Amino acid sequence: MLTGEQLRAARAMLKMEQGELAELSGVSSETIKRLERLDGPLSANSMTLDGLQKALEREGAMFLPENGGLPGVRLRRDPPANIRVRKRRGEA
């Protein structure tokens, strides 16, 4: 299950704006803003959550389940080229 913290963290780690995530996921920017304000497991339409998670995973995020601690998120070891380009732009 996706949490608000994971959603915020994944987007930040990918250096992705809310509008870009909206385009990639098919979820409105307003819905993303609303969900990012929440803490804990997100309660939303399963298609919405699935769309967000899949879009972030395609961009290189890996969602880690709760395993004796809190759920988490990290980047894949070898992220897709578009992440590297986005990071280079953000480093300037």
Side-chain angles (χ1 to χ4, degrees):
M1 173 161 279
L2 190 62
T3 68
E5 294 86 354
Q6 284 177 302
L7 181 59
R8 290 189 301 270
R11 194 174 60 75
M13 291 169 71
L14 292 168
K15 300 184 187 306
M16 182 183 295
E17 298 292 330
Q18 289 175 336
E20 185 178 2
L21 179 56
E23 287 178 28
L24 294 171
S25 66
V27 175
S28 75
S29 293
E30 288 304 313
T31 297
I32 293 169
K33 288 176 189 177
R34 181 180 57 81
L35 293 174
E36 285 191 351
R37 285 192 297 262
L38 303 174
D39 291 325
L42 295 176
S43 178
N45 181 300
S46 62
M47 289 178 63
T48 297
L49 296 178
D50 190 51
L52 290 169
Q53 185 167 342
K54 284 186 185 239
L56 291 165
E57 287 173 343
R58 279 192 306 270
E59 294 298 308
M62 291 180 62
F63 292 93
L64 309 172
E66 185 175 340
N67 187 14
L70 298 173
V73 64
R74 70 179 182 91
L75 294 179
R76 288 195 320 243
R77 184 177 297 259
D78 186 27
N82 56 343
I83 292 175
R84 292 188 289 270
V85 170
R86 191 169 29 246
K87 282 187 177 180
R88 253 185 270 129
R89 271 187 276 158
E91 291 173 357

